[in-house]
Amino acid sequence: MSEPTDPGDPDTSRRRKVPAKPKGRVTMTDIARAAGCSQATVSFVLNNTPGIRLSQQTRERVIEAARTLGYSPPAFLALQKPLPAFDGLDGVIGFAVDQLATSPEAVVAIEGARQASWNAGNVLLVAQTLGDSVMEPRAIQALTKRGISALIYMTIFTREISAPDYLYGLDIPVILLNCYTADYAFPAVVPSEIAGGQSSTRHLINHGHRRIGTITGEPWMQAAQDRLKGYRRALATADIPFDPELVVEGDWSASAGYAATVKLLTLKDRPTAIFCQNDRTAIGCYEALKEAGLHIPQDISVIGYDDEEIARHLFPPLTTSILPHMAMGQWAIEQLEVPAPPGRGRYPITKLECPLVERDSVSTVAGTSTSSHI
């Protein structure tokens, strides 16, 4: 089931008029009309359906509309009871991240953690550390002095880290987000990048493409390495020979995407599709293809990665994959409920799926039919 949309902004909801009580029995349709959302969203909220991610604002708007209209089934009455706090938490959770001001991924992860924290009545305190060897321990010390009962430690680039000694010395739970340690000393969550690269490439293969170019990120970065591994794995699974000419190194930027696309178009047997390993690279790819007089996706298909806001506003809208930072932030908070293993435990690295978002930048190669069995 697809996730319901989260309608409206807070300014709109504040201007919404108080709904008049309908005659007769109040229905979910009445509540949806009053709250300005779909009936499906109302159903998910009032039935407290598990596994559905809606903003706290939308939940509160639906509950307030239901309360105002006099909706009173037992499930809704139970929903209005205060949620218990996590066992062992005193209501304040710290979140330390190396890059915040320049990173949309950090903001998304923090929002995921914030939603999960607020749902349990907890407050999130955030500190940017810049990975500074002097200021980072001071920032974390400042958080601990505020009385935090757990710490989420995030890096912007997915990677293995050598956790500083002061993390091991904390007497509160520590969760690693987008990073992990070789000794598995802390619960850790990262995106499933190999599977994401494989899924993106497989999507193109399923549309009949066999000459698939890819524009990578900087090769020292784990995300670039893993997405390329996924690309190669998808080709191998489909018995398509790997051609190194179709792999062009980039640096995640639009300008690198432009230059790499120009290079791919000079090949004698040019690709029919290009897998850009992030959306900014795809922006440059789009420009190069349009300058060459090629149409997307009729002449060449393009797929991105990250699902940045710009992806849906490109023409045509870009098929891409979601980096699961929102879900990773939520996972980090939920992990605080899991009992710690006895002694100095070892925690497995949790990898979350990067779901594919299909839009309009991929088409089927003429003379082939789509398949989903590869």
Side-chain angles (χ1 to χ4, degrees):
M1 178 179 294
S2 61
E3 188 173 305
T5 55
D6 188 353
D9 58 45
D11 291 332
T12 302
S13 63
R14 281 196 293 268
R15 294 192 298 268
R16 189 174 287 113
K17 295 180 180 180
V18 175
K21 290 188 178 182
K23 296 179 181 180
R25 184 174 64 88
V26 177
T27 66
M28 289 190 182
T29 301
D30 298 324
I31 298 168
R33 187 178 300 112
C37 63
S38 69
Q39 185 177 342
T41 297
V42 172
S43 176
F44 290 140
V45 172
L46 299 187
N47 291 311
N48 205 19
T49 305
I52 302 298
R53 294 194 297 275
L54 295 168
S55 72
Q56 186 65 18
Q57 175 198 16
T58 295
R59 291 182 184 276
E60 291 172 354
R61 191 165 69 242
V62 170
I63 291 171
E64 179 60 29
R67 183 184 295 115
T68 301
L69 293 173
Y71 190 73
S72 58
F76 172 60
L77 296 177
L79 185 63
Q80 298 183 75
K81 295 180 180 179
L83 290 171
F86 289 138
D87 291 339
L89 296 186
D90 63 11
V92 183
I93 301 169
F95 194 116
V97 57
D98 54 358
Q99 292 284 348
L100 175 57
T102 60
S103 170
E105 292 87 0
V107 174
V108 172
I110 290 169
E111 175 59 14
R114 196 275 309 163
Q115 288 183 14
S117 297
W118 283 21
N119 285 342
N122 297 306
V123 173
L124 200 67
L125 296 183
V126 180
Q128 177 177 253
T129 70
L130 299 179
D132 188 275
S133 60
V134 174
M135 297 306 296
E136 180 174 283
R138 291 185 63 185
I140 291 176
Q141 184 182 43
L143 289 174
T144 58
K145 284 185 176 180
R146 294 278 184 176
I148 61 172
S149 51
L151 175 70
I152 300 171
Y153 184 90
M154 178 180 180
T155 61
I156 290 306
F157 297 128
T158 307
R159 67 183 189 274
E160 179 184 315
I161 62 168
S162 297
D165 292 340
Y166 50 81
L167 285 188
Y168 289 97
L170 294 176
D171 59 357
I172 56 175
V174 176
I175 310 292
L176 302 184
L177 198 158
N178 210 39
C179 56
Y180 56 93
T181 57
D183 60 4
Y184 305 99
F186 307 100
V189 61
V190 298
S192 185
E193 299 280 22
I194 295 177
Q198 185 172 3
S199 174
S200 298
T201 309
R202 184 173 59 237
H203 182 69
L204 295 171
I205 294 170
N206 288 343
H207 281 76
H209 296 279
R210 296 184 64 84
R211 290 286 292 172
I212 301 171
T214 187
I215 305 171
T216 71
E218 295 165 287
W220 60 268
M221 293 181 61
Q222 184 172 326
Q225 296 167 11
D226 287 351
R227 292 173 196 180
L228 183 58
K229 287 179 184 176
Y231 164 84
R232 296 192 64 165
R233 186 175 293 179
L235 294 179
T237 302
D239 294 325
I240 299 174
F242 172 72
D243 183 351
E245 279 194 330
L246 290 172
V247 179
V248 183
E249 182 182 316
D251 62 8
W252 309 114
S253 69
S255 58
Y258 177 92
T261 303
V262 170
K263 183 175 181 179
L264 287 169
L265 292 179
T266 64
L267 295 176
K268 183 176 180 181
D269 186 10
R270 75 184 187 195
T272 61
I274 300 176
F275 169 26
C276 298
Q277 294 192 15
N278 79 333
D279 292 345
R280 295 180 191 182
T281 297
I283 294 172
C285 177
Y286 266 46
E287 290 303 309
L289 293 175
K290 290 176 181 178
E291 281 190 13
L294 299 173
H295 296 88
I296 306 167
Q298 294 89 338
D299 298 320
I300 191 163
S301 292
V302 179
I303 196 166
Y305 205 102
D306 289 356
D307 194 33
E308 291 195 34
E309 177 66 23
I310 188 64
R312 69 201 66 186
H313 301 297
L314 293 175
F315 183 79
L318 178 66
T319 293
T320 185
S321 293
I322 297 173
L323 274 179
H325 285 89
M326 177 77 74
M328 288 161 63
Q330 294 169 337
W331 180 94
I333 297 298
E334 293 164 359
Q335 188 66 22
L336 298 175
E337 289 187 295
V338 178
R344 192 183 177 103
R346 287 170 58 88
Y347 296 86
I349 300 171
T350 297
K351 296 185 177 183
L352 297 189
E353 178 189 6
C354 301
L356 187 73
V357 180
E358 296 185 39
R359 296 195 177 102
D360 301 328
S361 62
V362 175
S363 67
T364 302
V365 175
T368 63
S369 58
T370 59
S371 169
S372 60
H373 303 298
I374 295 176

